[in-house]
């Protein structure tokens, strides 16, 4: 979809995740706790997302990846309707489960 302008604020979770990805995962303790709460099926945390990717049952494993997004060019956008091109990035937090935390 077309990008939305939200001024002067950015969506809080998106904004915080963007800043977290600028550093090491160890520097953003809140992000690891966010992932743990998703594994635990915390509905309040899942409600922070536009849609809950785990509506029936929480995931058994979770990981975080960083992707690089760029606007598409005019030709691509007019042919496909896509506004964004996503390039593969890197693993930010390797896959883990609740059992790994014990």
């Amino acid at each position: 979809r077309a990008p939305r302008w939200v001024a002067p604020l950015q969506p809080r979770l998106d904004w915080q995740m963007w800043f977290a990805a600028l550093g090491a995962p160890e520097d953003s303790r809140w992000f690891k706790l966010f992932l743990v709460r998703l594994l635990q099926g915390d509905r309040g945390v899942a409600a922070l997302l536009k849609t809950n990717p785990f509506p029936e049952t929480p995931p058994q494993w979770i990981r975080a990846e960083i992707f690089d997004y760029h606007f598409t060019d005019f030709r691509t956008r007019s042919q496909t309707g896509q506004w964004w091109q996503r390039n593969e990035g890197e693993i930010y937090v390797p896959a883990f489960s609740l059992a790994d935390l014990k």
Side-chain angles (χ1 to χ4, degrees):
R1 69 178 182 173
R4 296 176 188 235
W5 290 96
V6 180
L9 304 172
Q10 297 290 332
R12 183 174 171 87
L13 182 60
D14 292 354
W15 189 245
Q16 293 300 318
M17 289 170 63
W18 182 82
F19 275 110
L22 294 175
E26 300 81 34
D27 298 334
S28 298
R29 184 172 174 260
W30 72 268
F31 186 70
K32 182 83 179 249
L33 292 173
F34 171 73
L35 297 178
V36 169
R37 297 294 185 258
L38 289 175
L39 285 171
Q40 294 171 334
D42 186 302
R43 292 186 187 275
V45 171
L48 295 172
L49 305 171
K50 182 176 181 179
T51 56
N52 183 354
F54 321 108
E56 302 299 323
T57 181
Q60 293 183 14
W61 294 85
I62 199 163
R63 71 173 178 215
E65 296 180 64
I66 296 174
F67 293 94
D68 190 19
Y69 283 86
H70 298 279
F71 284 112
T72 56
D73 57 31
F74 179 77
R75 182 181 203 178
T76 302
R77 189 168 48 253
S78 63
Q79 290 176 348
T80 66
Q82 295 178 343
W83 281 85
W84 302 101
Q85 175 185 344
R86 183 173 92 170
N87 297 325
E88 293 296 322
E90 60 189 69
I91 300 294
Y92 183 63
V93 176
F96 70 97
S97 71
L98 289 176
D100 295 325
L101 302 175
K102 296 179 182 179

